[in-house]
Amino acid sequence: MTADVAVLGAGMHPWGKWGRGFVEYGTAAARAALADAGLEWRDVGSIVGADTVRGGYPGYVAGATFAKALGWQGARVASVYAACASGAQAVNAARAQILSGLADVVLVVGADAAPKGFFRPAGGERHDDPDWLRFRVLGATNPTYFGLYARRRMALYGDTPEDFAQVKVKNAALGALNPYARYRKRVSAEEVAASAVVSDPLRLLDICATSDGGAALVLSSMEFARRHGAADPVRIRAVSTVTPRYPNTVLDLPDIATDSAAAVAPPDETFRASIARAAYEEAGVGPEELSLAEVYDLSTALELQWYEDLGLCGEGEGAKLLREGATALGGRIPVNASGGLASFGEAVPAQAIAQVCELTWQLRGDAGDRQVAGARVGLTANQGLFGHGSAVLAVR
Amino acid sequence: MVTDWFTGDGDDFRLLGTRCSACASVFFPREDGHCRNPACGGGELAEVPLSRRGRVWSYTDSRYRPPSPYVSDPELPWEPYALIAVELESERIVVLGQAVPGITVSDLTVGMEVEVVPGVLGEDAETTWITWHWRPTGVTA
Ligand SMILES: [Zn+2]
């Protein structure tokens, strides 16, 4: 078990399709987080950015870009790329600096202006890039993987498209209560069923959109927080950044095949389950102690998978947990009280940070109409392309 | 483009992987650098044909035209194809591939037996690119 770090501030730029640059979204989120913390940018000794793509050399940028926009002041800088887990790795890098005594206060920022439509790989002939190959050889978009997982759940556990639609109904109702969400309208099961099939059995409203957005956190040592007058801040108790273990036998985006289990028995838990377990172990907290969870609902069916991977229910029981209302606001363990990606869409470097923003507001009791009553322990879970685990456990 | 991922014609068509001589791990797409089993000291990676037949692990389709680098003619209406993830029993591996043209998701079930056959990925004036397709056994069209 490691020591806690304090979350002094959280901030977001509202998500949507705003047509502006990621620097603007990230800077706005950073200023909001600093104001929330009651700190000036020049008080911050270190900035960590979750990378995004900009045209020039070397393509991926973040930390220094936001530092320049906020005004050069000499802060230590780091930038991290881990696909959808970039935000969690940025939080982890900041935490490591704080726990090692390299910095008292760290600003963590992620922002993006996402392209329209399907995500696609970088250009050129990239025969050594599994992401390029799956598009070129198979035409396998992200939603086709979501469709494979959904169909597999239907065959194994008897999940139905109506179950999947109810995830959207739940998350849209919560997103309607969140001023930072892109979509702020309730959605009915009939509307999901009437939307076009994208990748059988999933429809347009089962799959998250791409968005612009930004999110930021101000993290500090517990000692700094006390000196700063924050006696009882939200604390980050664990950050999981695990990789899979060989053989990884669940077909994972963007791979064309799994590892073979012919020579080595598969591990007794999947990669996704190991992401959550690492966070639980580091925090000394079990799933039964969670007040809420923010999970990576790229598709409605995938949210049900996370219920099981987080240990909120047994294998194959995700849809049952949903039907019982356990994961809705007011249920035993609300999931995606923010509205989730269903309501936000993907702004890749920002989303894992945005999940921690939501935990922060919930654990402070500041989440307004979507407040989970008496929230004390929250977990985020996420998975980055190419084997990047991501989970953050926060307590109050 | 994907040289040495498959070989042969007709009934002799097979996906090609590699197998580690030290630990017997199988890799597809082929691993020619170093065995990826972390418990293995590393053996020779020898080319090995994969099983022709397997069982459907899951399946889906793509009702919208995929973006580049997938090649399709924007002048033609988009014809969705099915994608099938197939579990090969002896290799204990799941391999994704397109279904043969004409097979749709309504023709498929999880657990159904399929076999690998050669198919056309695309063609231009000079070249026809061959790929692998999965076809339910018993379907000959
Ligand atoms: Zn080996």
Side-chain angles (χ1 to χ4, degrees), chain A residues 118-122 124-125 127 131-141 143-153 155-156 196-202 204 246 249-251 255-266, chain B residues 1-2 5 23-29 35-39 56-71 81 83-85 87 89-98 105-106 108 110-111 121-122 129 131-132:
Chain A
F118 292 120
F119 282 120
R120 65 185 72 188
E125 293 273 317
H127 295 191
D131 200 38
W132 187 90
L133 283 170
R134 55 122 170 181
F135 277 95
R136 178 67 186 89
V137 178
L138 299 172
T141 60
T144 60
Y145 286 83
F146 310 154
L148 290 170
Y149 303 150
R151 175 61 61 181
R152 179 79 179 164
R153 290 191 62 82
L156 248 54
V197 174
V198 175
S199 286
D200 171 272
L202 297 177
L204 197 58
Y246 183 87
T249 58
V250 179
L251 186 66
D255 292 334
I256 287 174
T258 62
D259 291 334
S260 158
V264 182
Chain B
M1 169 177 19
V2 289
W5 283 24
C23 74
S25 283
V26 175
F27 300 98
F28 182 86
C35 176
R36 295 204 310 267
N37 171 6
V56 174
W57 183 83
S58 192
Y59 58 93
T60 186
D61 60 8
S62 199
R63 303 286 175 96
Y64 291 82
R65 191 188 301 274
S68 127
Y70 190 69
V71 177
Y81 51 83
L83 278 169
I84 315 181
E87 193 162 19
E89 189 179 16
S90 64
E91 292 87 355
R92 297 191 65 190
I93 190 172
V94 174
V95 178
L96 190 57
Q98 291 186 353
V105 288
S106 60
L108 298 168
V110 170
L121 178 63
W129 285 276
T131 188
W132 73 95

